[in-house]
Amino acid sequence: MSKIKIMDEILANKIAAGEVVERCASVVKELVENSIDANSSEIKIELKEAGTSLIKVTDNGIGMDKEDAILSFNRHATSKIKDESDLYNINTLGFRGEALASIASVSNVVLKTSQGEIGTLVNIKGGKIIKVENTEARKGTIFEITELFYNTPARLKHLKSLYTELASITDYVNKIALSHPEIRFTLINNGNTILKTDGSNNLLKTISSIYGMDVARKMLEINNEDDDYIISGFISLPEVNRAGRNHIITLVNGRVVRNQELNRIINYSYHSYKPDNRYPIVVINIELDPSLVDVNIHPTKMDIKFSKLEELLDLVKKTIVNKLNRQTLIPVIEQPINDFDTELIVEEKLEIIEPKEELNESPKIEKTKYEEITLDFDNQIKEEEPKYEERLPLLYPIGLVHGTYIVCQNEIGMYLIDQHAAKERVNYELFLDKLSNPVKDKIPLLLPLTIELSNNEYIILKENFDFLNNMGFDIEEFGINSVIIKSHPIWLTKGFEDLQIRKIIEAVIHKEKDFDLAKFNDHLSATLACKASIKANTNLSINEMEELINELRKCHNPFNCPHGRPTIITFTKYELEKMFKRSGFESLK
Ligand code: ZN
Ligand code: ZN
């Protein structure tokens, strides 16, 4: 090759590097994916200064011979993908090839590789081969990248803080570890182990390595399928949630992908089990015929389109909702164990950072000692799922604290019920049912209610008279910009009729353009429920408490108010004994 041609090639690589190799995380990604393609069962990623001083990836894969080792840095060495459909059929992670050349053009790379016999060392800096020599015969491949972006100062400046770089590498390695529980991953920065998985092909163990035992114990396994899709994985209990949606991880045929609709439906499946702006931890694998997906072929994107999307969303939602609807979801108040306190503080800090960053950000800072607590992953105690109507256990009210919390007990422990949240849930389900299945039973108002509106509100409302008639209202024009209501649907709460009518009118006036009746009914039910529910500082009699608990037990979701706040929490007998240091110290009398 002539000198000029080589210069052209180096230039082309540098330009390509700008597109493919943007950050330390993209280098890690390329190298790790190479290791996976090489059938490695163990991949170790060592960083210094979040990869800005060193990125070293060591695998035990098939390795390369001398010729391939040199060729691998050739811009056109890409032999992996023959056509797009290969992407999801074969093992390769795809569409790179140019990447190694790009990385080598903006850094100093030392590659050591061997297929078990004589090894090869290749050193390339700034795209130029400095050295090729024989080296030791350890089977596998080691890439060492230093001086990243040394000759592209603009790119170097573009790097974010070390913390952000590390966070995005960690996020990537977490995800690839979740999609390959059969590979043993180690991620180390400045000598500190950030992630270590055991390669035992147990997804829950991988989840535990990333999120800790505490979260792993609160994951529910899901499995379902229809004619086109098989879904499996783990979903967190609603009480385990995060500020960012980054912990919803979707795999398609074992590959991490992104699909907004899928993320949205997963989060929506938890609706009213948790606040909508908190997100669950979910790892879902979807297996399907590759012909049903359309991949956006861009090296840095993982966006995917499904040709039978509605059907898939339906299946995912059904699976999650069915699972949640069959659990007892009363948060247990536990005494912190070991370093749990510091763990929590770390999490809190991370969560504050989360929403700002688009990519992802949950580097697990140094490990705490929770590994000492054991969880039998292979024989997870499969507690019998309680019968639908018995999810909320029988509870016996004792009294009321601060005019707000009902204290109850049973043989398992002590329970506190937030009386407003509980009544809100009961009312919400009642109203939602009435709004979704309207019957025209109505009650005349003794004193018809007139409502004055602004001129534009009045115009909008007049257009919606039919809508309100169907709900069970008799509503008519009454002078300038006023309406009169003579009767209302039968299910409004006694004593709150005026207030609720005004809320309904307000909601109708503010109906969105792209009106979704189900969402409208849901939102209106929650609003009406809040208005009609007992406020704090209202004293209930024991009978009234019993009645409320009975109503709550009949709810689809007795555990949360419509806004996702808990209605009930528990201190188990065991936890109480632990807190009073009774267990293990003296016999309980
Ligand atoms: Zn409320
Ligand atoms: Zn609420």
Side-chain angles (χ1 to χ4, degrees), residues 186-244:
T186 310
L187 173 64
I188 295 170
N189 183 52
N190 296 342
N192 298 315
T193 303
I194 295 169
L195 176 70
K196 200 176 171 69
T197 68
D198 71 351
S200 63
N201 204 13
N202 181 322
L203 182 58
L204 189 58
K205 270 192 183 175
T206 312
I207 291 172
S208 167
S209 308
I210 294 169
Y211 293 104
M213 274 293 180
D214 230 56
V215 167
R217 268 187 292 161
K218 290 178 178 170
M219 297 299 284
L220 305 167
E221 188 168 7
I222 51 162
N223 286 294
N224 205 353
E225 61 179 275
D226 66 8
D227 292 344
D228 294 302
Y229 300 102
I230 302 175
I231 61 178
S232 61
F234 289 89
I235 64 170
S236 64
L237 293 178
E239 67 181 272
V240 180
N241 52 61
R242 297 289 189 264

Side-chain angles (χ1 to χ4, degrees), residues 162 186 207 212 243 245-246 271 283 297 318 356 369 387 399 401 419 425 435 471-472 491 501 509 529 537 555 567:
L162 290 187
T186 310
I207 291 172
R245 68 184 81 216
N246 186 44
H271 177 60
V283 184
I297 308 271
K318 229 169 41 197
K356 291 187 204 154
K369 291 182 199 142
K387 278 195 206 130
V401 180
Q419 66 177 20
R425 163 55 63 175
L435 283 170
M471 257 187 194
W491 47 265
I501 291 169
I509 288 171
N537 295 314
C555 287
T567 56

Side-chain angles (χ1 to χ4, degrees), residues 513-528:
K513 283 249 160 56
D514 50 345
F515 179 68
D516 176 335
L517 185 61
K519 283 196 176 139
F520 175 83
N521 285 341
D522 183 275
H523 198 247
L524 181 57
S525 302
T527 308
L528 295 179

Side-chain angles (χ1 to χ4, degrees), residues 210-453:
I210 294 169
Y211 293 104
M213 274 293 180
D214 230 56
V215 167
R217 268 187 292 161
K218 290 178 178 170
M219 297 299 284
L220 305 167
E221 188 168 7
I222 51 162
N223 286 294
N224 205 353
E225 61 179 275
D226 66 8
D227 292 344
D228 294 302
Y229 300 102
I230 302 175
I231 61 178
S232 61
F234 289 89
I235 64 170
S236 64
L237 293 178
E239 67 181 272
V240 180
N241 52 61
R242 297 289 189 264
R245 68 184 81 216
N246 186 44
H247 305 278
I248 299 176
I249 295 158
T250 45
L251 311 171
V252 166
N253 294 348
R255 250 187 81 142
V256 177
V257 299
R258 249 190 327 224
N259 179 283
Q260 283 211 352
E261 285 102 332
L262 208 46
N263 281 1
R264 207 172 299 134
I265 203 77
I266 290 171
N267 193 45
Y268 192 71
S269 305
Y270 280 79
H271 177 60
S272 101
Y273 276 98
K274 59 160 188 55
D276 285 339
N277 60 353
R278 303 280 305 176
Y279 301 89
I281 297 174
V282 169
V283 184
I284 262 188
N285 188 29
I286 301 159
E287 283 168 62
L288 76 171
D289 188 312
S291 66
L292 287 176
V293 292
D294 176 17
V295 194
N296 181 354
I297 308 271
H298 184 282
T300 58
K301 287 201 185 123
M302 308 169 288
D303 290 302
I304 191 167
K305 287 196 176 76
F306 298 90
S307 57
K308 290 188 179 176
L309 179 67
E310 286 307 314
E311 190 194 317
L312 174 63
L313 297 181
D314 217 53
L315 181 68
V316 168
K317 186 175 164 206
K318 229 169 41 197
T319 308
I320 297 178
V321 169
N322 281 345
K323 193 75 191 180
L324 294 177
N325 275 346
R326 282 156 58 204
Q327 307 297 319
T328 290
L329 299 168
I330 308 175
V332 177
I333 307 306
E334 286 171 307
Q335 205 187 4
I337 8 162
N338 293 334
D339 297 10
F340 186 60
D341 278 343
T342 37
E343 177 79 8
L344 264 184
I345 292 161
V346 169
E347 291 251 314
E348 287 303 324
K349 274 191 187 156
L350 289 172
E351 289 190 5
I352 295 164
I353 297 164
E354 253 174 345
K356 291 187 204 154
E357 284 287 321
E358 230 206 277
L359 259 173
N360 46 31
E361 34 290 317
S362 59
K364 190 85 182 159
I365 311 298
E366 290 7 298
K367 283 271 159 178
T368 54
K369 291 182 199 142
Y370 51 66
E371 256 113 335
E372 288 165 16
I373 317 160
T374 50
L375 179 68
D376 187 348
F377 288 99
D378 300 313
N379 302 299
Q380 253 216 306
I381 313 147
K382 292 259 181 332
E383 278 177 38
E384 282 277 301
E385 281 173 349
K387 278 195 206 130
Y388 186 73
E389 64 278 10
E390 289 168 3
R391 291 170 305 151
L392 191 61
L394 284 172
L395 300 168
Y396 307 96
I398 300 161
L400 197 64
V401 180
H402 293 171
T404 304
Y405 308 107
I406 303 170
V407 185
C408 311
Q409 68 169 341
N410 64 17
E411 61 289 353
I412 305 163
M414 177 178 87
Y415 298 78
L416 295 178
I417 294 176
D418 179 327
Q419 66 177 20
H420 172 76
K423 190 67 190 175
E424 204 177 43
R425 163 55 63 175
V426 171
N427 279 330
Y428 163 73
E429 292 200 5
L430 172 79
F431 298 153
L432 191 55
D433 178 57
K434 296 296 181 191
L435 283 170
S436 313
N437 312 292
V439 276
K440 285 194 181 168
D441 291 342
K442 45 188 154 185
I443 300 186
L445 276 158
L446 282 180
L447 290 173
L449 178 67
T450 52
I451 298 178
E452 238 182 38
L453 301 152

Side-chain angles (χ1 to χ4, degrees), residues 470-490:
N470 280 333
M471 257 187 194
F473 285 100
D474 280 332
I475 183 166
E476 289 163 23
E477 298 175 43
F478 191 69
I480 301 160
N481 295 340
S482 292
V483 294
I484 184 162
I485 291 155
K486 295 182 171 166
S487 63
H488 66 74
I490 196 163

